[in-house]
Amino acid sequence: MERVVLSMQDPDQGVNMRSQRLLVTVVPHAVTGNDIMEWLIHKYSISEEEALHLGTLLLRHGYLYPLQDPGSLVLRPDETLYRFQTPYFWMSTLWPAAELDYAVYLAKKNIRKRGALGDLEKEHHGQLHRKMNHMWDLVVMQAREQLRAAKQRRKGDRLVIACQEQTYWLVNRPLPGVPNVLEQGPERGSCTARRVLMVRTLHACIECCRRALGRTRVKSSVSLEAYLKFSNQHRPHDPIMSGCLPSNPWITDDDTYWAMNAPRVAEPTQLRVQRWAFSFQELLEDPVGRAHFMDFLRNEFSAENLSFWEACEQLRHGGQAQVPGLVDAVYQQFLAPGAAHWVNIDSQTMERTLEGLQQPHRYVLDAAQLHIYMLMKKDSYPRFLKSDMYKTLLAEAVIPPETKRRVFPFMWKPRRSSPSPALLPASASGERAAAPGGLGGGPGEA
């Protein structure tokens, strides 16, 4: 339908549009019903009845609107004047017909006609007033602002805009008993398309329910047991729940806690070594744990796996300008045939990686990195936890001594000597000032 409307507005082969006089108002770009009928008959070689029906459909869908009787969306084969609706109000724009916009339109029309609305419009106006009572002042203010802006336009433009708005709301808010073209239009009225869409929707719902029924469920008791196990495992490592050793740096000036738990220390604490056994990710996120894990892999002649993982992390988080060079360096060092530190990955992962290397980016080695990560997690990491190296680290780890705690440490204030008598309290200064006088008066009294 919109292609038909665009053809009708063609300046060379479209409908003859010209300025028409409506009473004392000159309306530009207006067409008559006879011109529309003749153009449709000539363009599509149809009968007068079919042309009249097609023109009426264009009006009911809001692509044309009458100027003399805006409330009647029917094409008349006479000298009745019509205009083409602006594309802003076309159905394809999917502009939502919101309640607020309709309330502003009715309020504006009510102000312009001084309350002389139709029965149905009065009913809608009252319903919207009760529904939007909390923001009706905003509705009235917008309506008055639009009327004030309309007064600055020519009379013909005001008439055109009023007809455009009325036609739009007749399409989106049809009168009772009038079929709603938005629900019964040519495309929406296709029973076959609707039936096909319904069947597809039902098949999708059935498949979703089938997958939901076959999904593995976890009992609540199992979930609670896992939650309790996680809480008990992490409780000693929570500084709020279990405290800090040797002292709490949040309530004291002692920063020994931060020094002992720095990213790189010579001797890690026992709690820190214990956290490495929580998960493989905990071990890799700790620089000290990763260094000891690297030493363990060197003893097993598989240190290239961790080196490759670190190189992929550097590629992922590095600068964009260095990405092509880093990709080539990682490939030549770990993946190329005869590489110095060649890593073993499966053929499918290697094929995907080689395809991505044709257009290198920072995530091109993710598949290979994940393969090596899972290999270390399932093979090297469990053997590291069972090795003598980890047991020795756990036995020789530092256990911070607990400092003497006060009952109320926040009430304790250190005693400091005053650097100057001028900073002494007034009472103390008065006592010291009175003391020399007392000593001087002693001999006189004696």
Side-chain angles (χ1 to χ4, degrees):
M1 296 180 71
E2 293 180 0
R3 287 198 297 267
V4 174
V5 175
L6 292 175
S7 300
M8 296 174 70
Q9 298 183 58
D10 187 85
D12 298 328
Q13 301 178 358
V15 183
N16 184 19
M17 293 184 290
R18 55 186 179 273
S19 298
Q20 301 283 354
R21 183 175 294 276
L22 185 62
L23 297 178
V24 295
T25 305
V26 177
V27 180
H29 307 291
V31 296
T32 62
N34 285 330
D35 295 336
I36 296 174
M37 287 279 296
E38 293 176 1
W39 188 89
L40 291 175
I41 294 172
H42 177 72
K43 177 71 175 179
Y44 297 105
S45 301
I46 56 179
S47 62
E48 293 185 1
E49 183 179 0
E50 292 174 335
L52 183 62
H53 177 68
L54 179 56
T56 302
L57 285 178
L58 293 175
L59 265 81
R60 288 180 178 176
H61 285 79
Y63 295 107
L64 289 168
Y65 60 89
L67 295 173
Q68 295 168 317
D69 189 8
S72 177
L73 299 181
V74 178
L75 181 64
R76 297 177 182 177
D78 51 18
E79 297 300 321
T80 304
L81 298 180
Y82 300 88
R83 285 188 93 253
F84 291 99
Q85 182 69 283
T86 178
Y88 178 74
F89 294 106
W90 284 6
M91 297 173 60
S92 62
T93 58
L94 300 179
W95 181 54
E99 296 288 345
L100 178 60
D101 298 327
Y102 190 44
V104 172
Y105 165 74
L106 292 179
K108 181 171 58 175
K109 193 173 182 179
N110 185 47
I111 295 173
R112 186 172 61 248
K113 292 191 174 184
R114 298 180 181 180
L117 296 176
D119 295 337
L120 183 62
E121 290 180 340
K122 283 184 179 179
E123 182 181 354
H124 288 172
H125 185 273
Q127 292 176 357
L128 292 173
H129 192 183
R130 291 189 296 270
K131 186 177 180 180
M132 301 182 179
N133 189 28
H134 62 286
M135 55 182 302
W136 194 252
D137 293 339
L138 174 63
V139 173
V140 176
M141 182 180 66
Q142 290 187 5
R144 289 177 178 173
E145 287 295 330
Q146 293 183 15
L147 288 174
R148 187 179 297 111
K151 290 181 180 179
Q152 301 177 2
R153 300 188 179 96
R154 295 186 298 114
K155 187 175 181 180
D157 296 339
R158 293 200 299 268
L159 175 64
V160 168
I161 294 175
C163 293
Q164 285 179 347
E165 291 183 343
Q166 184 170 356
T167 303
Y168 175 79
W169 290 114
L170 283 176
V171 174
N172 288 273
R173 296 289 190 276
L175 300 175
V178 178
N180 191 350
V181 296
L182 300 180
E183 298 178 357
Q184 301 178 0
E187 296 180 358
R188 297 175 178 82
S190 178
C191 298
T192 305
R194 186 181 304 174
R195 190 179 298 109
V196 171
L197 179 61
M198 184 180 299
V199 170
R200 291 178 180 175
T201 304
L202 290 176
H203 280 303
C205 293
I206 293 172
E207 186 64 25
C208 181
C209 294
R210 185 177 297 149
R211 288 197 302 267
L213 290 175
R215 189 179 301 126
T216 304
R217 304 291 180 179
V218 179
K219 294 183 179 180
S220 58
S221 58
V222 177
S223 301
L224 291 175
E225 288 177 2
Y227 178 74
L228 290 175
K229 180 180 179 181
F230 178 85
S231 301
N232 294 331
Q233 186 183 36
H234 286 78
R235 181 184 179 88
H237 304 267
D238 193 334
I240 297 179
M241 301 297 296
S242 303
C244 303
L245 293 178
S247 61
N248 194 332
W250 285 278
I251 60 177
T252 64
D253 294 334
D254 188 6
D255 59 349
T256 308
Y257 177 81
W258 303 121
M260 298 183 68
N261 292 275
R264 296 188 179 277
V265 291
E267 298 180 357
T269 61
Q270 190 179 56
L271 290 177
R272 187 170 181 175
V273 178
Q274 290 175 355
R275 288 188 67 92
W276 299 346
F278 288 176
S279 65
F280 185 49
Q281 191 64 28
E282 287 277 356
L283 177 64
L284 293 182
E285 290 178 355
D286 191 342
V288 179
R290 194 192 305 174
H292 287 289
F293 186 59
M294 178 65 79
D295 295 337
F296 172 77
L297 293 179
R298 288 195 185 98
N299 295 335
E300 294 199 342
F301 305 99
S302 59
E304 64 276 359
N305 292 334
L306 185 57
S307 300
F308 175 73
W309 183 87
E310 292 178 342
C312 292
E313 288 293 307
Q314 182 181 1
L315 170 64
R316 178 181 295 181
H317 302 288
Q320 183 63 32
Q322 291 80 23
V323 167
L326 289 175
V327 170
D328 184 68
V330 173
Y331 174 75
Q332 296 296 335
Q333 185 178 3
F334 297 99
L335 300 177
H341 304 283
W342 185 76
V343 292
N344 185 17
I345 60 177
D346 59 275
S347 58
Q348 295 182 356
T349 305
M350 178 62 77
E351 290 178 1
R352 290 201 303 269
T353 303
L354 293 177
E355 291 177 0
L357 290 176
Q358 297 177 1
Q359 295 181 352
H361 52 85
R362 64 174 67 249
Y363 306 106
V364 70
L365 299 176
D366 281 1
Q369 183 187 17
L370 180 61
H371 180 82
I372 296 300
Y373 176 86
M374 297 304 297
L375 181 64
M376 293 190 296
K377 180 179 179 180
K378 295 180 179 180
D379 183 34
S380 303
Y381 176 63
R383 286 189 281 106
F384 170 72
L385 297 180
K386 298 177 183 179
S387 64
D388 295 336
M389 176 184 292
Y390 178 74
K391 294 178 181 179
T392 303
L393 287 172
L394 190 60
E396 298 178 354
V398 178
I399 301 178
E402 183 177 4
T403 57
K404 183 179 180 181
R405 296 183 179 180
R406 297 178 179 271
V407 180
F408 300 106
F410 52 86
M411 299 182 61
W412 176 76
K413 295 182 180 180
R415 297 180 181 180
R416 300 178 181 176
S417 59
S418 176
S420 173
L423 300 178
L424 292 175
S427 59
S429 301
E431 292 177 359
R432 290 192 178 185
L439 293 173
E445 292 176 359

